[in-house]
Amino acid sequence: MIEGNPQPDEGGTASAQSGTTPQRRASEDGLLGRLDVIEAQPLAQRAAGFEQLHDELLAELQRGDHGGS
């Protein structure tokens, strides 16, 4: 194995050494799914959806900055 290049495990996914945990992948998939839903909406609803998502992500970042989680 080349260091820094994760090899697939028996399930065919990259090992935990890559830094991507199953929870993080699920979270990213959830975000991508939400983006797909927002982008499929008419313009005014899309703007409101992106604004709400922005506010949620900003709040999550700010919680992380203050040591909460």
Side-chain angles (χ1 to χ4, degrees), residues 22-54:
Q23 286 178 324
R24 182 173 179 164
R25 281 193 300 269
S27 176
E28 290 170 354
D29 290 345
L31 176 59
L32 294 176
R34 285 185 68 186
L35 289 172
D36 288 340
V37 169
I38 292 169
E39 290 176 351
Q41 297 176 350
L43 184 60
Q45 291 159 330
R46 228 181 318 171
F50 280 125
E51 182 177 11
Q52 180 182 4
L53 181 59
H54 167 268

